[in-house]
Amino acid sequence: MDRRILKGFQSEMTAEMWLVQQGFIVYSKKAVQSPIDFVCYCPAKGKTKAKILLIDVKSSCHRKNSTRKNPYIYRSPTPLQKKMGVRLLYVSDKGECTLDSPLQK
């Protein structure tokens, strides 16, 4: 298997596990090409309302030999993802998950 495909698959599995730990019920995509990877539902608890999130998982990447203060590569949602309200979930090489912005160190 191509290592990029494997890395993406590992990131999706890590993200799914993290989302479940955050209290979400996670539904994964059925199509290979899709603007979203997961539909996540968090039931209402106490006074908090139920939440639905549309998630696209990205593996965190950084520029090699960068002189920039923050070497991480930021990705933007596609126009369709913006219209749908999709949120990006970044997964670092260490398995850390960050919603909407890449890991900053």
Side-chain angles (χ1 to χ4, degrees), residues 14-100:
T14 301
E16 186 172 8
M17 187 172 65
W18 182 80
L19 288 161
V20 168
Q21 290 171 346
Q22 303 306 307
F24 287 94
I25 298 167
V26 181
Y27 300 91
S28 59
K29 67 182 176 187
K30 300 295 181 203
V32 175
Q33 294 295 324
S34 173
I36 61 171
D37 292 320
F38 301 122
V39 175
C40 305
Y41 173 74
C42 187
K45 293 178 188 172
K47 294 182 180 180
T48 61
K49 295 181 180 180
K51 288 189 229 176
I52 295 177
L53 296 179
L54 303 177
I55 301 290
D56 187 31
V57 178
K58 299 291 182 192
S59 298
S60 288
C61 297
H62 56 80
R63 293 174 180 84
K64 295 177 181 162
N65 302 323
S66 177
T67 58
R68 297 177 183 208
K69 182 178 179 180
N70 186 350
Y72 285 91
I73 297 171
Y74 291 87
R75 293 186 174 85
S76 297
T78 66
L80 176 59
Q81 288 175 323
K82 287 179 185 177
K83 186 175 181 179
M84 293 172 64
V86 175
R87 296 179 68 182
L88 301 182
L89 192 151
Y90 291 88
V91 180
S92 73
D93 291 337
K94 296 177 183 177
E96 297 165 330
C97 296
T98 307
L99 198 55
D100 292 329

